[in-house]
Amino acid sequence: DKTFPTNDCAMCTISPKLNDIAQNPNITLLTNSRLKGLEGEAGHFRVKVLRKPRYIREELCTGCGTCQEKCPQRVPSEFDQGLGERKAIFVAYPQAIPRIPIIDPSHCRYFRESKCRVCERVCPRGAIDYSQREEKLELEVGAIIVAIGFNLFDPRRKPEYGYGNSPRILTSLQLERLLSSTGPTGGEIRIAGEVPRKFIFIHCVGSRDRMVGHPYCSRFCCMYTAKQALEVKERIPEAEITVCYMDVRAFGKGYEELYERAQRRGILYRRGLPGEIFERDGRVIVRLEDTLLGKTLELEAEAVVLACGAEPPKDALELSRVLGLELDENGFFKGGDPLDPVISSRPGILLAGCCQGPKDISDSVAQASGAASRALALLSQRGR
């Protein structure tokens, strides 16, 4: 919803760029598609793409939303991290490009039970097409940029943190959706039917943890935690907020100032990570050893937020095989030169963002700009 350290509106920054992509006549946007094959060399790649059916005729759809409004089937929303609901026919998120819905056949009553067809009856343009099938495309391209992002660590892999056992134990991304005006609560922080007053944030969930196979630092967790803690304090001034940490890593421009601002607002930082989190009498108990005080504490909270770290994108291994690229020991894409972060181990294929390792926004943008420039240079050399 907001970006650190400036607290700017995230969609105000990226939405204009998304619209530019949709309107640019030289950009072909293939959503709901997967790369399935690659042949050739830099400047002369031949790629095979599998485009899955949307069950919507894109040339007819105007994005009016009538089909979504009338669809009777509700399921948990992935975008709202399970805190809200979506329909079986839906747009991924409010500002999605293109603004054309997709039918989820795993939940649609027509595909599951051969009945309903409400969306087909109410669509004023007749854009619903249940007969669509997968489409195989072959493209000739000169360069490829891999920018598939990252996944957040699933805290269920650390059962001692109790995630999934109580609605009061949230991930950082779930809290971000609660903070958003487009989220399931319209920006109101309401958990388990009430506005919590005692918050505890936990650093390094799935980062710097060899037990779960993530020995690396995810880099941006410390700062998004400070940002979220300040946002909670802004919405609930009387809130008591504690942050449990191992170290605070504020490496970027303005990051140290953000950390200091959080402390000045009365947000308490305790050095020590929990050994156990559990629920007692409707409240969450966080048991930890404060390494500065040298004693074990039990802290009571009405909401616990797990600052989950980054891990390799779930399809990285499959995609690396298709592209013929190497992954590093942590499962991220391996660069071809330590002094040139945008190149991969295969000429003509470039890397950008967190597919190569955890990065904050500014570092991702810088690497993306470098990858785009390198791709343009390659195409100009090959006369494309």
Side-chain angles (χ1 to χ4, degrees), residues 15-296:
S15 284
K17 297 185 181 297
L18 293 175
N19 287 321
D20 288 346
I21 288 174
Q23 296 170 10
N24 191 311
N26 290 329
I27 295 178
T28 300
L29 187 61
L30 299 178
T31 57
N32 205 32
S33 304
R34 298 180 70 85
L35 186 68
K36 302 300 288 186
L38 174 67
E39 299 176 348
E41 59 184 14
H44 301 282
F45 287 120
R46 294 184 302 279
V47 299
K48 296 180 181 180
V49 176
L50 180 66
R51 194 174 190 189
K52 296 184 179 180
R54 188 182 287 272
Y55 305 108
I56 307 290
R57 295 179 62 183
E58 296 184 26
E59 71 278 9
L60 296 178
C61 180
T62 61
C64 68
T66 303
C67 55
Q68 299 173 73
E69 179 185 343
K70 300 298 183 180
C71 175
Q73 186 69 13
R74 295 178 177 272
V75 299
S77 166
E78 296 85 355
F79 184 66
D80 282 333
Q81 298 292 295
L83 299 177
E85 293 182 325
R86 63 165 173 84
K87 300 295 186 70
I89 182 170
F90 69 105
V91 174
Y93 60 98
Q95 300 86 4
I97 298 296
R99 190 168 175 75
I100 297 173
I102 183 173
I103 295 178
D104 179 356
S106 63
H107 292 102
C108 174
R109 292 183 181 179
Y110 171 74
F111 285 99
R112 296 180 62 186
E113 305 168 17
S114 298
K115 60 182 181 181
C116 186
R117 303 180 77 118
V118 167
C119 55
E120 183 182 51
R121 292 197 299 270
V122 301
C123 179
R125 299 277 295 174
I128 306 299
D129 184 1
Y130 300 118
S131 66
Q132 285 186 355
R133 296 292 182 267
E134 292 181 344
E135 181 182 5
K136 296 180 180 179
L137 306 175
E138 291 196 10
L139 308 172
E140 291 188 6
V141 301
I144 296 170
I145 298 177
V146 181
I148 61 172
F150 66 96
N151 276 57
L152 278 182
F153 175 78
D154 183 353
R156 292 182 182 88
R157 290 165 59 188
K158 289 186 70 69
E160 64 269 27
Y161 281 3
Y163 181 71
N165 298 334
S166 169
R168 298 180 182 277
I169 303 175
L170 308 172
T171 66
S172 46
L173 196 51
Q174 285 178 317
L175 177 62
E176 194 73 19
R177 293 307 301 144
L178 292 179
L179 291 168
S180 174
S181 60
T182 65
T185 58
E188 181 182 12
I189 305 174
R190 184 170 291 276
I191 300 171
E194 65 181 31
V195 178
R197 296 295 190 273
K198 290 185 178 182
F199 288 79
I200 295 180
F201 289 80
I202 312 296
H203 275 197
C204 295
V205 179
S207 292
R208 305 175 65 191
D209 187 342
R210 296 184 183 277
M211 297 296 291
V212 298
H214 293 175
Y216 53 86
C217 172
S218 291
R219 299 184 67 188
F220 47 75
C221 315
C222 291
M223 291 298 100
Y224 79 58
T225 297
K227 180 212 72 171
Q228 288 186 332
L230 282 167
E231 278 285 300
V232 169
K233 197 69 173 176
E234 188 71 28
R235 311 282 178 91
I236 311 172
E238 68 276 18
E240 299 176 16
I241 302 175
T242 299
V243 178
C244 300
Y245 70 100
M246 184 188 309
D247 294 302
V248 175
R249 297 187 168 181
F251 66 90
K253 183 178 181 180
Y255 290 7
E256 187 71 27
E257 291 81 354
L258 177 65
Y259 170 46
E260 292 173 354
R261 191 160 73 246
Q263 292 177 297
R264 288 196 301 268
R265 286 298 305 272
I267 296 165
L268 176 62
Y269 277 75
R270 283 191 179 276
R271 194 174 190 277
L273 295 181
E276 186 180 12
I277 302 175
F278 56 95
E279 196 170 38
R280 178 198 294 160
D281 300 329
R283 293 293 181 266
V284 180
I285 306 299
V286 177
R287 184 177 291 157
L288 80 157
E289 181 182 357
D290 188 315
T291 58
L292 293 180
L293 297 178
K295 61 180 182 181
T296 301

